[in-house]
Amino acid sequence: MRVILLMVLAALLSGCGYNQIQQKDEAVKAGWSEVLNQYKRRADLIPNLVNTVKGYASHEQQVLTQVTEARAKVGQINVNADDAASLQQFQQAQGELSGALSRLMAVVESYPNLKADQAFLDLQTQLEGTENRITVARGRYIQLVQDYNTYIRSFPQNLVAKMFGYQPKPNFTVENERAIQDAPTVDFGAAPAAPPPPQPPQPAPAPQPAN
């Protein structure tokens, strides 16, 4: 009898989406691991990149320090992807590192010899490829979390999710979302007013006869 009850319970759980919840939860975990892997790949490139730039632009100390400190801050975060505050802190730190790297690349434009250095070119290529992989991994993770959250909030899977303690997962957000939403206003309807035509010179008044 117990075996039969277990079989019936397993069938009911399967029909209510228990197995799919497990699959989607594992997919989210795998997606998150890939995100971390690509961010780590970027962090591993930075020391060599900083040292190469320092060889040509040692006096750009402020920018070099910003990159090094931003990388160290990222490494100090013990992120928990299931905690919204932890994920936001992680995202903010990664954004600061991205900004520091952008400023470093802007400085490089002033050093033609550095831009021609083969070691730097190789590092730059690796960094660009890693940034692309980060974008792909983040995009895939966002989709996986959205799929998981939608599924466990739908009936009857929501009942099974509550029964076993599965909660919606936080997700990445768009940096500077308010600035993106508040687009600048551009009015193409009103043409600028034409400047007034130049006035012809007025003749000088005739001299008055003396009395």
Side-chain angles (χ1 to χ4, degrees):
M1 179 64 69
R2 181 177 297 177
V3 174
I4 295 175
L5 290 175
L6 290 175
M7 292 177 63
V8 171
L9 180 60
L12 291 173
L13 289 175
S14 177
C16 291
Y18 178 82
N19 290 342
Q20 288 80 0
I21 292 175
Q22 306 305 309
Q23 293 169 3
K24 293 178 184 297
D25 185 52
E26 289 300 320
V28 170
K29 291 177 181 177
W32 176 245
S33 296
E34 182 61 17
V35 170
L36 291 179
N37 181 49
Q38 297 306 330
Y39 274 126
K40 183 179 184 302
R41 178 183 176 89
R42 179 173 72 171
D44 290 343
L45 288 171
I46 289 175
N48 289 336
L49 181 66
V50 169
N51 288 332
T52 303
V53 174
K54 188 184 297 184
Y56 289 87
S58 58
H59 59 283
E60 301 285 356
Q61 193 60 45
Q62 182 178 1
V63 178
L64 295 170
T65 300
Q66 287 175 350
V67 173
T68 303
E69 290 178 349
R71 179 184 181 274
K73 183 177 180 180
V74 166
Q76 293 169 358
I77 296 177
N78 186 17
V79 60
N80 176 10
D82 291 332
D83 179 70
S86 178
L87 182 61
Q88 183 179 11
Q89 183 185 22
F90 174 80
Q91 182 179 359
Q92 181 178 355
Q94 293 290 355
E96 291 174 1
L97 179 54
S98 296
L101 284 171
S102 296
R103 290 189 292 274
L104 179 64
M105 289 306 175
V107 166
V108 167
E109 294 299 318
S110 302
Y111 298 89
N113 291 338
L114 173 58
K115 292 169 61 178
D117 183 273
Q118 189 59 49
F120 173 77
L121 292 176
D122 291 343
L123 288 168
Q124 185 180 33
T125 300
Q126 293 181 56
L127 183 62
E128 290 174 351
T130 301
E131 294 290 354
N132 291 334
R133 283 189 286 269
I134 287 173
T135 301
V136 172
R138 276 176 52 121
R140 182 171 182 271
Y141 179 77
I142 289 171
Q143 292 177 351
L144 290 170
V145 171
Q146 288 176 341
D147 179 60
Y148 169 86
N149 288 343
T150 301
Y151 189 80
I152 69 166
R153 286 171 172 165
S154 302
F155 182 84
Q157 301 90 259
N158 62 332
L159 301 178
V160 177
K162 289 180 180 179
M163 184 184 305
F164 289 93
Y166 287 96
Q167 301 290 332
K169 297 179 182 293
N171 210 342
F172 283 113
T173 57
V174 178
E175 291 92 348
N176 202 14
E177 184 174 358
R178 180 176 299 276
I180 295 174
Q181 292 176 348
D182 298 338
T185 302
V186 180
D187 185 5
F188 293 101
Q199 298 295 325
Q202 298 295 325
Q208 297 295 325
N211 292 332

